[in-house]
Each structure stands twice: as C-alpha cells, then as structure tokens.
Amino acid sequence: MHASIRRDIALVAVLSVLLYGLFEFRSSITTQILQYPQRLKSSSSPVYTLEDATAEREDNEEVQAIGSYPASNPPALHYHTSSSPSPKSRHRKIGKTASKLSAKELERLRVMRKFPITELIKHAPGFTILDNVYLCNGTLYIVRTDTFPSTFPDRRMMISSGASTSDDLPTRKPTDLNMQTINISEAVQMFGEQTFRMDGTTFMSYDNEQFFNQNSHFSSEILFSLWRTYASLDPRTTRAGQSSLSAPSRFIAPHVSSKAWRDAANMNQYVFHTAFPSTPLELNNTWNDRSEAARAFILDRLVLGDRIAAARGEDKDGWGTMLSQVEKIGGATKWWWEPVRKNVVGEALMLMTKQMRDEEEEKERGVVITYVSRQGWGRRMLKEEDHERLVAGLRGLGQKYGWEVNVVKMEDLKRQEQIALAARTTILMGVHGEGLTSLLWMKPDSKSTVMEFFAPEGISYDFHYPAKMLGIRYYGFWNDVTWTEPDVPRKTAFRHHGVPEGFHDNHIPLDADAVVRLCVERLIPPTDDKATPRR
C-alpha cells in the first residue's frame, strides 16, 4: 500500500518537471521571435552583403535580384539563354540568411526586387536581346548596379536615332532621347514606385517607316531578322516547326505610322497576322501614348533590331544588308524559320477552297519551276527577246521531263495563291524585285534554288542573304555570267556600290540558255540519264 503511494507521488513529480520544462522552452522561443526585429535592426556586422546577393542573382520568393557578370569574366558575343541561374548555383538563399542582413541591406534588396537590373542575353551589331529594359517617356533605359562592369556594347551598335537612311550621318547617331544607361539609385529617383511590368517577349524594330511599306523589306528583312535573333534562344527547333519559343507578346515600331506599314499589295499585314495571330502591332501612336504616361514600363525581354546600328558593323564586310550581321548570332538550328513559315503557309492553304487545296497537294509531288515575270511592270524588265527565249526554254524542260513550269506575275495572284505556289516551288527565278520575297515560303531541301537576274554589274543582297540563311541555293546572273557561294561579288568591289546606270532598266540582257542549263544541273544529278520528279 505505502509502496504504491510512493510510486504515484514520484510519477506526479516527474510529470511536473516535464511540463515546467516545456513551458520554459515555449516562453524562450516566443521571446526570441518577439525580439528578432530588434536584434536584426541592431545588427551592425552582416556577413551576407548586397554584392553577394547581386553576384549570385537570387530569384527566390523573397528577392528577385538579377545579377551581373563578374568583371574578371566578361561575356563573349553570345550569352546564356536563361535569365535564371541553374538550381546547382543557388547554394545561398537570402531567406536563410536574413538574420545576417542589416535593415539597410534588406531595403536595398527590396529596391533591387522592384528595379531588377538589365541583363544582356545576346548581341550582334544591330540586333540585341535584353532582359529587364525600362521604357519611360519614349526612352529605353538600361539599369545597372553601381558596381556593374562595362559589358554592354556601345549603344550606337544597338540602336540609332530612328532617322531616315537618307539623312546626314550625324542625325542617325543615338542620343539620350533614344537610350540611356543609369544605375539603380537613379532609377529609383526617376521612376519612383510607378513601374509596370510588360510580360513576355517584345519585338521592337527601330527602323524608319521608309522600310515598312515594301513587303521585301518588312518580311524578308525586318520580321525575318527579328525572328532569327529570337530563334537563337532555341537550339532545338525541329524540321516540323516545333519550338520552345512562344510568339512575341507585342511588336513595337516606334517610328512607323499605321498608314506607312501597309504595302501596296497588303502583304505586310497578311504575313504578320498569319505568322503571329495573337501578337498586337504597336505603332507610333501607341508609342506616343505610352510616352505620355506618368510611369515607367519594364519590358521582360526585348528583341531589338535596328538596320542603321547593323550597318555600323559592316565596315569591313561590304555586304550592304542588315542580315549580314544577324547571321553572326549563333544558337539557331537550320530549321529556325519553320515555325513562322508553317504558320503563314498553313493559313494560305486553309483560305483556299478544298478543290484548290487538293490540286496543290497533287502538284507538290513533282518538280516545280516558277519564273516571276516583271514584263509590263515598267521597271527592271528583261529584254523582250530574252524573256521569250527563257519562257520557251523552261516550257521545253516541262515537256521533256514532266516538270511543272509556271510563268507568273505575282500581282495577278491572290496573296494565299502566291504563298501556296512558293511553298511547293523547287526553283524560283526572276529579275530583282518584290516577287522574289516569296522565297521565304519555299521548303528548303537539297534542290531548292533561287535565281536572280541583274543588269550587268548591278547587285543587291536583299534575296541572296535570306536564301543563304534558309539553306536555299542562290545564283545571281549578269547576262551570261553566273555566281554563287562562296564567290558572290561584294559591293565594295564596285565604284557605284552595286547600283550602276541601267540597274532599273527595262532592257536587261539575260542568257536564257544558261538559265535553262543551270535548271537541269540543279535538278538532275550528272550520273542520271533521266529526271525523276522530286518526291
């Protein structure tokens, strides 16, 4: 009896001690939590500094501080494709070290989250991909930290004033009205809390409107080069047109009016809206509206193109085309244009009647030669006898080998018919002109060919470069003189820079027999006795 009582008393004593210990532990934890802000405020020797946070570019939920490249390791021409560090590099988390940060540093990190620094992703003269670009009062701002190394290219290699190329050279140089570089402190003072993030990818062409009213400039230069720049971020685009890249969220042309961007054939808007059905086009009226807004806009990702800036990289190249620069940006696959091409061609076929689609599919099974004639156009036409000899020679090939031969005037075809015809064309030819823009919709393969006819010693690379970048074999003709890669003449070799007297003549000579022979060489391997339609 007494032993049982003593055992119960001992058990009660043990439980009392345990309960008291738990109560004291809870009180201690509560006190530490309540005193944490005061300890943080009084801390004077933090271990984790702002520079550490910036350098490691932490992007957790508490802080999204995008860092800079270390001065000892400046980036080369091409940069990484992601704006976020890999999981392995995230070995420090700001949330885990908050107790080591002073209140001042926490405030600075909050500012960096509000004002992320601008990051250079890729660049070649005239073509630049930037993350976190600020737009305020019509000016683009690059925001950096106080210790940000000088890794950005000179702004004149990224942007111009937007002036016409016919203007004097000094007027083309960019000023602070076009682009500025500022630090975070200056960004806080200039923009305050009034910032608005524009999500997604923004395409921006800083070209003057003189280049927007012709489809050859808009589609095969401006749109073509911006997508090529963007496509460098996806090294796995497939032949089927599958890509990890989403369509641009907007296309901005600050110096172009709604009237100027529409070409005479209404092909610009057709191509743009079929290539990117959900992408709005923002022209100078929208740009001016944003400029008057009392806030700054942060562009998530900007793909910027400027032909004047691209021309500054051509001093030693002598090509005279903006595309010679965009080609320098690596990272894209040979099928980089397929997502755009398939959208445009697919829409063109969908707009045709079922009978027309069936006919197109049936025709696509064989070789197709398309001669875009400018006869009767009144500018840059072949000698009539040479034109007639070329037509007769091509039709003779059709009769001999069973190839489809089309002699067309593009202005006589509907837009979807032009695109559908180009999509199944094996060889496209014609005098230098707008009609050769259709090469963008050709399906590249080993026999795909473009032949362009010039007045003797006249030359332009408007279609040579797109063909080259798409993997289509290109040939230029000066009457009976033919050239192709790698022996393409440079404009710098001519005193007249490629536009001699008679370049726009209506009596351009052409050796039609040489064109016909080249067609046979391209379509029939030398060892074959008979031609086999392309399958």
Side-chain angles (χ1 to χ4, degrees), residues 69-110:
Y69 296 95
S72 60
N73 185 27
L77 179 64
H78 309 305
Y79 307 102
H80 56 80
T81 60
S82 173
S83 60
S84 301
S86 64
K88 292 181 179 180
S89 69
R90 298 172 184 167
H91 59 280
R92 284 188 179 179
K93 291 295 182 181
I94 292 177
K96 295 180 180 180
T97 58
S99 62
K100 300 179 182 179
L101 288 169
S102 68
K104 181 178 180 181
E105 287 170 327
L106 286 176
E107 174 61 19
R108 291 180 69 184
L109 289 174
R110 186 194 70 79

Side-chain angles (χ1 to χ4, degrees), residues 499-513:
V499 187
E501 183 178 353
F503 183 81
H504 301 295
D505 196 6
N506 294 329
H507 304 283
I508 297 173
L510 177 68
D511 186 341
D513 294 338

Side-chain angles (χ1 to χ4, degrees), residues 296-309:
F297 300 88
I298 304 177
L299 306 179
D300 263 356
R301 171 159 286 173
L302 174 65
V303 180
L304 176 64
D306 189 304
R307 74 173 57 238
I308 302 300

